[in-house]
C-alpha cells in the first residue's frame, strides 16, 4: 500500500510503523548505516520511538548500541546535532 493512508483525496504518509522499523533494522544489520540514518529521519523516528520498537518487536536483530547509533545518526541527518 506504499505506506500511505488516503485522507479524502490527499495521500497522507504514515510515520513510525513497525514495517518502517524493520526496514531501518535491515539496513543497519546489513551495514548500510548512512541509509539507515536517512530512513530514521525520513520515517520520523526519534530515540523514544526506536526504544519502543526495540522492546516490542521480535526478531529485529539489533542491540542497544545499534539503537543509540541510529538515534544519533537520525538526529544528525535531520541537522539536529549536539556536537
Amino acid at each position: 500500500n506504499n505506506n500511505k493512508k488516503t485522507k479524502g483525496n490527499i495521500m497522507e504518509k504514515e510515520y513510525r510503523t513497525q514495517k518502517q522499523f524493520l526496514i531501518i533494522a535491515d539496513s543497519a544489520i546489513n551495514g548500510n548505516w548512512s541509509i539507515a540514518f536517512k530512513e530514521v529521519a525520513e520515517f520520523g523516528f526519534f530515540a523514544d520511538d526506536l526504544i519502543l520498537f526495540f522492546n516490542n518487536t521480535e526478531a529485529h536483530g539489533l542491540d542497544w548500541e545499534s539503537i543509540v547509533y541510529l538515534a544519533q545518526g537520525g538526529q544528525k541527518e535531520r541537522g539536529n546535532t549536539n556536537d
Side-chain angles (χ1 to χ4, degrees):
N1 73 11
N2 246 1
N3 224 14
K4 296 182 179 182
K5 288 182 182 172
T6 304
K7 187 175 185 181
N9 290 330
I10 301 168
M11 294 302 284
E12 186 179 300
K13 191 170 184 175
E14 288 185 340
Y15 291 98
R16 297 179 299 278
T17 66
Q18 186 172 41
K19 181 179 178 183
Q20 290 170 329
F21 177 76
L22 293 171
I23 290 168
I24 293 165
D26 190 56
S27 295
I29 290 164
N30 288 313
N32 299 318
W33 290 100
S34 60
I35 292 170
F37 298 155
K38 285 181 173 67
E39 291 166 345
V40 168
E42 178 186 337
F43 298 152
F45 280 81
F46 290 89
D48 56 342
D49 304 308
L50 292 167
I51 291 166
L52 182 71
F53 279 95
F54 177 84
N55 287 329
N56 293 297
T57 304
E58 292 184 23
H60 52 67
L62 297 173
D63 58 17
W64 274 112
E65 188 175 304
S66 298
I67 294 299
V68 171
Y69 196 45
L70 287 168
Q72 289 175 332
Q75 285 294 95
K76 287 182 180 176
E77 193 65 38
R78 283 187 277 271
N80 299 327
T81 59
N82 292 322
D83 299 337

